[in-house]
Amino acid sequence: MGDAETRVVERFNDAWHRGDLTTVAACLAEDVIYRPSAWDGPARTLRGRDAVCRAFADQLGGGPTLGAVRSAGDRVLCEWSWPQADDGTVLRGLDLYLVRDGLIAAMDVFSKITTDG
């Protein structure tokens, strides 16, 4: 395990940056679970490809700088960071994926704001 799991996440990330919702959707299991990072209160868990794609539709294209995609069995991790803000802070995080049968079955987003240094 590992190579196929990494490839589906890399394909997902590439499609995200290109704004290709069709390919993003093709990387997701029908019963995918998405747990976004909380910004201003509890984050709402989304369930199912259609609900997740509706949430993603206005977010696609561009995004943070991505780190390497790493896998351990059916779990895949991708670190990311946004450029430094005017106040010197950097939003950093990671996406943790569960891959099942060659598709993303779950995606959890974790993030924090740090100061550079």
Side-chain angles (χ1 to χ4, degrees), residues 12-13 36 43 47 62 72 86 91 93 96 107 109 116:
F12 172 88
N13 287 343
R47 297 176 188 281
D86 291 339
L91 176 61
L96 178 62
M107 179 179 174
V109 180
D116 196 1

Side-chain angles (χ1 to χ4, degrees), residues 3-115:
D3 289 341
E5 290 79 8
T6 299
R7 280 194 302 273
V8 72
V9 170
E10 289 173 337
R11 182 174 174 228
F12 172 88
N13 287 343
D14 180 61
W16 182 286
H17 278 273
R18 290 185 288 108
D20 180 355
L21 186 58
T22 300
T23 302
V24 164
C27 294
L28 303 176
E30 184 64 37
D31 61 345
V32 64
I33 298 171
Y34 171 59
R35 296 178 190 100
S37 188
W39 297 105
D40 55 1
R44 182 171 171 245
T45 297
L46 298 175
R47 297 176 188 281
R49 182 185 298 141
D50 292 341
V52 171
C53 285
R54 278 193 301 276
F56 286 170
D58 64 349
Q59 299 177 30
L60 298 179
T65 301
L66 300 177
V69 176
R70 297 178 182 90
S71 66
D74 60 0
R75 299 290 177 164
V76 180
L77 174 87
C78 182
E79 296 179 62
W80 49 264
S81 65
W82 286 90
Q84 187 176 36
D86 291 339
D87 66 358
T89 60
V90 177
L91 176 61
R92 302 176 193 282
L94 60 87
D95 296 340
L96 178 62
Y97 302 87
L98 170 65
V99 176
R100 182 185 69 230
D101 299 326
L103 297 172
I104 296 169
M107 179 179 174
D108 287 276
V109 180
F110 301 93
S111 63
K112 63 184 174 182
I113 298 172
T114 63
T115 56

